C-alpha cells in the first residue's frame, strides 16, 4: 500500500490495542492543544520506554502497524514521527506494510540447514511463491528467518497469528514436504502442542543448572518451593548484599553470555555506584545462531530465573529488574509472565520481598527480532524506546546503563549459576570445572547429532565427549566440522575434537565457547552454504551505525560469493587476502562485538577448514 494514501489516524482496533498497552490517555498537559500536540509534558516523555510494547500490541492485534497507528503511538508518548518510524522499522518482527494475519517464519540458519530447511523453503516457494507472498485467500504468508533459538527442533518454524494472544504463537519442527496449510495447521486452528525439549543425559542427581527440568511444573510456584525454590534467596538475605557479592566473586563465575566477564566484579562495581536508582537486567535475548539454552531454562524453570534476578537486585541495590526476552520465545514469555505474577502474589517480589525489608520487582520486555539487541547497550536503548543501536563504551553500564543509571546485566544462565553458588557455597562451586573456568556450563548441541539438545557438563569436557553426550554424529557418519560458539564463533575441524571446553583452552587455541553453541556438521553438509549463511546473517543484522561493520559485512559476503562463483577479484589468493583485510578492519575498528566478531567464523572456515581454498578453482 502506498504510505501516502494511508489514513493518519488509527482504526478502532488499533486504538484499542494502544489503549491496552499504554492505559487510558492522561488528561491533556498544560500547553497541549487538547492532548494533540507533538511536544508534551515531562510525564509523557518519560513514558517513551513504552514505545516498543505499544508497537508490539498493535502488531499482535492487527498483524501490522499502519501509519495511523504509528502516529497515534508517537503522539501519545511524545515521540516525533520520524523517530517512531526509525524504531518501528528497526525490528524484523514489526511490519509497516499490510500483512496477512498468519505468518510462518521458517528458519534457514546454520543448524536447520542440516535438517532440510532449504527443502521446506523450496516447497513453499513452489506452492505459494517467494517469501512475503500471500496465499490466494490472503490469510497467510511465509518468511525466511535467522535462527529461532529452537535448533534442537530443526527445521524450526515460528507461527505468529494476529488477533490471538502472542503466547499462542508456536515454535516447532516441520516435515520438509509439508504444504503451507499443513505447516500452519490452518489459520484458525488451535496452536500445535510444542514438543518436549530433549533433556540432558546421564545421572540426574549430578545436574546443577538443569536439576528441576522435567521434575517441576513450570507454572506451579508450589512445585518450585517443593524443589528448593527460594532457598537461595533466603541464603542471600542471610549473607547480606556484600556477602552475596563476596560469594559470587570467590566462585570465580564468568558470564555465560559470550564475553566471559567476571560476574562478582560487575556486581561489586554496580553496588558501589553512588548514583541512584540502580537497575538489574536479565539478558534473555539469546539470538546467537545455534543457541537455545536460556530458552530451555526459562521455559522449564522460570521461577529460578526470577529468584536469581531477585538475588542480583538485592546484592547490587537495584529495586527494579527487567528481563529482555527475544520476541521469538512465546512459551518462555508466557511462563515468565506467570512466574512474575505468582511471585508477586506470594511476596517474593514487590515492596517487601520475603518480609526481609527490601524492595524488588521485575518487568518482562519483549524484543522484536533484532540480534544486535542482545548487545547490552543496544538492549538498554531498545527498552528505552529507541533504535537498538549499541552505545560507545565507556561509560560502561555499571556506571551509566539503563536510563543513564548504574546497571547490572547478566545472561540467564549466569544468573542461574548464582543460585548454585549460594546453594553449595563458593568454595565447592569453584572446585567444579577448572582453575580458570569454574562451575557447570550449558552446551547447546545441534546439527548432525543423534540427540540435539541442551547438555550440562563441567568445564573441561572435550568437544568429542560433548558430542558423545548428544549421541554422536547422526547415522554414525564422519564429522566434517563443528561451529563452536555460534555465528560469532569459529569452525573447528575433525582433528580438533579433543579440545577442552574451557575459557583458558579456548583463548590459547584461538577459538571461543561464546554462548555455548556447538553445531555439528557431517560430511554430507554443504559447508560453503553454511559459511555463506553466516556472512548473510551478519550483513543483515549489522545495525549500520559504524562504517567498518556496515560496509565490511557487505564486502565480506560479496567476496565469498565471488570465490564460490569462481570469479575472484584478481587471483584467488588476492581475494582471500582482501577477505582477511576486511576481517581485520572489522575486528579492530568496529564499535561493538557484532562487527568485531562478524568475520570470525568466515576466517576460521578459510584458515582451519581450508574451505575456500578447495571450493575455488
Ligand atoms: C552482537 C551481540 C549480541 C549479544 N547477544 C547476547 C545475548 O543474546 N545474550 C546475552 O546474554 N549476551 C549477549 N551479548 C553479550 C552482552 O553484551 C553482555 O556481555 C552480556 O549480557 C553480559 O552478561 P554475562 O556477563 O552474564 O555474560 C551479546 C553481545 C553482542 C556484541
Ligand atoms: S559494529 Fe556493527 S552492529 Fe555494532 S555498532 Fe557498528 S554497525 Fe552497529
Ligand atoms: S532454530 Fe534454526 S538454526 Fe537455530
Amino acid at each position: 500500500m502506498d504510505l501516502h494514501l494511508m489514513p493518519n489516524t488509527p482504526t478502532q482496533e488499533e486504538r484499542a490495542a494502544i489503549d491496552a498497552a499504554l492505559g487510558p490517555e492522561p488528561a491533556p498537559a498544560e500547553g497541549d492543544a487538547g492532548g494533540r500536540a507533538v511536544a508534551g509534558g515531562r510525564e509523557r516523555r518519560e513514558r517513551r520506554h513504552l514505545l516498543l510494547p505499544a508497537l508490539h500490541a498493535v502488531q499482535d492485534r492487527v498483524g501490522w502497524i499502519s501509519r495511523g497507528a504509528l502516529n497515534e503511538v508517537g503522539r501519545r508518548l511524545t515521540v516525533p514521527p520520524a523517530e517512531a518510524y526509525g524504531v518501528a522499522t528497526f525490528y524484523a518482527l514489526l511490519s509497516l506494510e499490510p500483512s496477512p494475519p498468519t505468518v510462518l517464519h521458517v528458519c534457514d540458519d546454520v543448524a536447520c540447514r542440516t535438517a532440510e530447511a532449504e527443502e521446506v523453503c523450496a516447497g513453499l516457494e513452489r506452492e505459494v511463491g517467494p517469501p512475503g507472498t500471500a496465499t490466494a485467500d490472503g490469510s497467510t504468508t511465509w518468511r525466511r528467518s535467522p535462527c529461532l533459538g529452537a535448533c534442537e527442533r530443526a527445521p524450526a518454524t515460528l507461527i505468529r497469528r494476529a488477533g490471538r494472544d502472542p503466547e499462542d504463537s508456536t515454535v516447532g519442527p516441520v516435515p520438509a514436504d509439508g504444504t503451507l496449510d499443513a505447516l500452519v495447521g490452518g489459520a484458525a486452528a488451535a496452536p500445535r502442542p510444542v514438543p518436549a525439549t530433549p533433556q540432558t543425559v546421564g545421572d540426574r542427581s549430578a545436574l546443577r543448572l538443569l536439576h528441576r527440568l522435567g521434575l517441576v511444573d513450570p507454572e506451579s510456584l508450589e512445585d518450585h518451593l517443593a524443589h528448593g525454590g527460594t532457598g537461595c534467596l533466603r541464603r542471600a538475605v542471610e549473607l547480606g548484599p556484600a556477602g552475596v557479592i563476596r560469594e559470587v566473586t570467590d566462585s570465580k563465575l564468568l558470564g555465560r553470555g559470550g564475553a566471559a566477564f567476571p560476574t562478582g566484579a560487575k556486581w561489586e562495581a554496580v553496588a558501589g555506584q553512588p548514583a541512584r536508582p540502580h537497575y538489574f537486567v536479565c539478558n534473555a535475548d539469546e539470538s546467537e545462531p545455534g543457541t537455545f539454552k536460556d530458552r530451555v531454562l526459562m521455559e522449564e524453570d522460570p521461577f529460578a530465573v526470577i529468584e536469581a534476578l531477585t538475588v542480583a537486585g538485592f546484592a547490587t541495590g537495584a529495586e527494579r529488574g527487567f528481563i529482555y526476552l527475544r520476541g521469538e520465545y512465546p512459551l518462555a514469555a508466557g511462563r515468565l509472565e506467570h512466574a512474575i505474577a505468582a511471585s508477586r502474589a506470594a511476596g517474593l517480589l514487590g515492596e517487601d520481598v520475603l518480609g526481609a525489608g527490601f524492595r524488588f520487582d521485575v518487568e518482562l520486555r519483549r524484543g522484536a527480532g533484532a540480534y544486535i539487541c542482545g548487545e547490552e547497550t543496544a538492549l538498554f536503548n531498545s527498552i528505552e524506546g529507541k533504535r537498538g543501536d549499541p552505545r560507545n563504551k565507556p561509560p560502561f553500564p555499571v556506571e551509566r546503563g539503563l536510563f543513564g543509571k548504574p546497571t547490572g546485566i547478566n545472561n540467564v544462565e549466569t544468573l542461574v549459576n548464582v543460585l548454585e553458588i549460594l546453594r553449595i557455597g563458593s568454595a565447592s562451586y569453584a572446585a567444579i570445572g577448572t582453575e580458570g573456568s569454574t562451575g557447570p556450563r550449558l552446551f547447546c548441541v545441534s546439527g548432525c547429532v543423534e540427540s540435539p539438545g541442551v547438555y550440562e557438563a563441567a568445564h573441561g569436557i572435550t568437544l568429542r565427549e560433548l558430542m558423545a553426550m548428544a549421541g554422536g554424529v547422526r547415522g554414525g557418519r564422519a564429522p566434517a566440522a563443528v561451529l563452536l560458539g555460534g555465528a560469532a564463533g569459529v569452525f573447528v575441524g575433525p582433528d580438533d575434537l579433543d579440545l577442552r571446553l574451557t575459557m583458558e583452552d579456548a583463548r590459547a587455541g584461538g577459538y571461543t565457547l561464546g554462548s555455548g553453541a556447538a553445531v555439528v556438521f557431517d560430511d554430507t553438509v554443504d559447508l560453503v552454504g553454511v559459511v555463506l549463511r553466516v556472512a548473510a546473517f551478519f550483513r543483515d543484522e549489522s545495525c549500520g551505525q559504524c562504517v567498518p561493520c556496515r560496509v565490511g559485512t557487505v564486502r565480506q559476503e560479496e567476496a565469498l560469493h565471488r570465490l564460490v562463483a569462481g570469479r575472484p577479484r584478481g587471483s584467488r589468493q588476492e581475494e582471500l587476502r582482501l577477505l582477511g583485510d576486511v576481517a581485520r578492519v572489522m575486528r579492530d575498528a568496529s564499535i561493538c562485538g557484532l562487527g568485531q566478531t562478524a568475520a570470525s567464523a568466515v576466517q576460521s572456515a578459510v584458515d582451519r577448514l581450508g574451505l575456500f581454498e578447495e571450493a575455488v578453482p
Side-chain angles (χ1 to χ4, degrees):
M1 185 187 289
D2 184 342
L3 279 178
H4 298 287
L5 300 179
M6 286 185 185
N8 265 331
T9 51
T11 62
Q12 255 185 343
E13 205 181 1
E14 289 166 339
R15 194 181 294 281
I18 296 166
D19 282 346
L22 301 184
E25 190 160 19
E30 207 176 313
D32 271 11
R36 296 264 146 208
V38 170
R42 188 160 166 240
E43 192 187 333
R44 282 178 177 221
R45 275 195 301 278
E46 286 181 348
R47 282 160 42 97
R48 179 170 179 156
H49 66 98
L50 295 174
L51 180 58
L52 189 51
L55 295 176
H56 261 308
V58 177
Q59 175 75 42
D60 291 345
R61 175 90 60 116
V62 187
W64 68 290
I65 301 162
S66 73
R67 180 170 163 167
L70 189 62
N71 278 348
E72 178 69 3
V73 172
R75 185 189 68 77
R76 295 269 295 268
L77 298 175
T78 329
V79 179
E83 280 193 40
Y85 181 83
V87 171
T89 50
F90 189 81
Y91 297 98
L93 295 183
L94 303 180
S95 169
L96 294 191
E97 298 284 334
S99 168
T102 299
V103 182
L104 172 73
H105 300 259
V106 182
C107 175
D108 65 357
D109 217 322
V110 285
C112 290
R113 295 182 76 85
T114 68
E116 301 188 309
E118 280 306 321
E119 285 77 353
V120 175
C121 292
L124 290 169
E125 289 227 12
R126 278 194 302 275
E127 185 194 344
V128 188
T133 311
T135 48
D137 65 359
S139 68
T140 310
T141 188
W142 76 284
R143 294 194 195 148
R144 284 176 179 262
S145 171
C147 176
L148 289 164
C151 322
E152 85 281 29
R153 301 171 187 168
T157 60
L158 167 71
I159 303 164
R160 294 160 72 224
R161 298 176 173 89
R164 299 253 293 256
D165 191 323
E167 287 155 22
D168 282 351
S169 305
T170 46
V171 179
V174 293
D177 56 355
T179 61
L180 182 66
D181 212 32
L183 295 184
V184 299
R192 289 172 303 152
V194 177
T197 303
Q199 305 299 353
T200 191
V201 291
D203 181 8
R204 269 210 74 98
S205 64
L207 293 177
R208 299 177 182 280
L209 307 177
L210 302 177
H211 68 105
R212 287 198 199 89
L213 270 73
L215 288 184
V216 297
D217 172 359
E219 299 192 351
S220 163
L221 177 58
E222 291 68 36
D223 241 15
H224 176 67
L225 297 176
H227 286 84
T230 73
C232 300
L233 182 55
R234 288 175 201 280
R235 175 74 184 132
V237 170
E238 272 168 32
L239 290 169
V244 174
I245 293 177
R246 201 167 40 247
E247 278 293 278
V248 175
T249 305
D250 290 350
S251 76
K252 298 197 272 179
L253 171 64
L254 300 177
R256 306 294 200 239
F261 191 83
T263 306
K266 188 186 288 187
W267 287 23
E268 190 169 6
V270 179
Q273 293 294 323
R276 284 288 186 277
H278 295 178
Y279 295 106
F280 211 101
V281 178
C282 169
N283 189 340
D285 196 50
E286 190 162 72
S287 306
E288 186 66 52
T291 313
F292 46 97
K293 66 195 173 71
D294 295 340
R295 192 203 83 232
V296 169
L297 283 172
M298 292 183 289
E299 287 180 350
E300 302 297 330
D301 202 3
F303 286 100
V305 178
I306 310 295
E307 183 176 348
L309 182 53
T310 308
V311 169
F314 172 71
T316 56
E319 294 185 347
R320 211 167 150 199
F322 290 86
I323 300 176
Y324 187 90
L325 178 70
R326 73 173 294 191
E328 294 88 342
Y329 281 0
L331 185 62
R335 291 193 169 160
L336 285 169
E337 284 287 19
H338 174 271
I340 291 169
S343 299
R344 205 177 280 139
L348 300 175
L349 288 176
E351 288 300 307
D352 184 13
V353 175
L354 279 179
F358 77 96
R359 186 188 296 151
F360 189 72
D361 215 327
V362 175
E363 264 181 66
L364 181 72
R365 292 298 177 98
R366 279 194 296 147
Y371 168 69
I372 190 58
C373 286
E375 195 282 334
E376 54 198 15
T377 60
L379 186 157
F380 301 150
N381 278 343
S382 179
I383 292 181
E384 290 178 19
K386 300 171 187 152
R387 284 167 57 90
D389 293 330
R391 302 173 184 169
N392 274 314
K393 289 189 268 192
F396 291 98
V398 294
E399 197 189 326
R400 288 183 56 190
L402 186 61
F403 303 119
K405 298 296 179 189
T407 304
I409 178 165
N410 278 122
N411 170 260
V412 174
E413 182 194 344
T414 312
L415 290 172
V416 171
N417 266 276
V418 171
L419 297 183
E420 185 61 7
I421 294 165
L422 294 177
R423 194 177 74 81
I424 62 173
S426 56
S428 302
Y429 181 94
I432 301 166
T434 64
E435 179 67 22
S437 307
T438 60
R441 174 141 199 155
L442 298 182
F443 293 98
C444 318
V445 189
S446 66
C448 306
V449 288
E450 289 288 350
S451 303
V454 175
Y455 292 90
E456 180 181 322
H459 279 110
I461 185 176
T462 66
L463 181 53
R464 191 185 301 281
E465 288 163 345
L466 180 66
M467 287 165 59
M469 283 177 88
V473 180
R474 209 165 48 198
R477 297 197 69 89
V482 179
L483 179 56
L484 254 190
V490 294
F491 287 97
V492 298
D495 295 340
D496 288 326
L497 298 188
D498 289 317
L499 53 84
R500 288 195 329 152
L501 301 175
T502 69
M503 313 290 185
E504 56 273 30
D505 285 273
R507 249 191 316 274
Y511 53 95
T512 173
L513 303 191
S515 54
V519 188
V520 178
F521 304 99
D522 69 18
D523 54 1
T524 66
V525 175
D526 166 22
L527 283 175
V528 168
V530 173
V531 177
L532 289 176
R533 182 66 187 91
V534 169
F537 174 80
F538 284 110
R539 187 248 306 134
D540 245 11
E541 299 293 340
S542 165
C543 82
Q545 192 181 193
C546 65
V547 175
C549 170
R550 182 179 68 235
V551 178
T553 51
V554 175
R555 294 289 173 261
Q556 170 171 269
E557 194 187 9
E558 288 171 352
L560 289 173
H561 277 289
R562 283 195 299 269
L563 283 165
V564 173
R567 286 196 298 273
R569 179 173 285 179
S571 69
R572 179 170 55 83
Q573 281 76 11
E574 281 169 327
E575 190 72 282
L576 287 172
R577 211 171 305 126
L578 175 70
L579 202 56
D581 287 347
V582 169
R584 209 164 310 114
V585 172
M586 283 201 283
R587 191 191 59 217
D588 295 346
S590 295
I591 288 181
C592 86
L594 186 148
Q596 290 157 10
T597 57
S600 161
V602 171
Q603 282 301 302
S604 67
V606 174
D607 298 341
R608 289 174 180 263
L609 306 182
L611 207 55
F612 290 87
E613 307 258 347
E614 287 167 14
V616 182

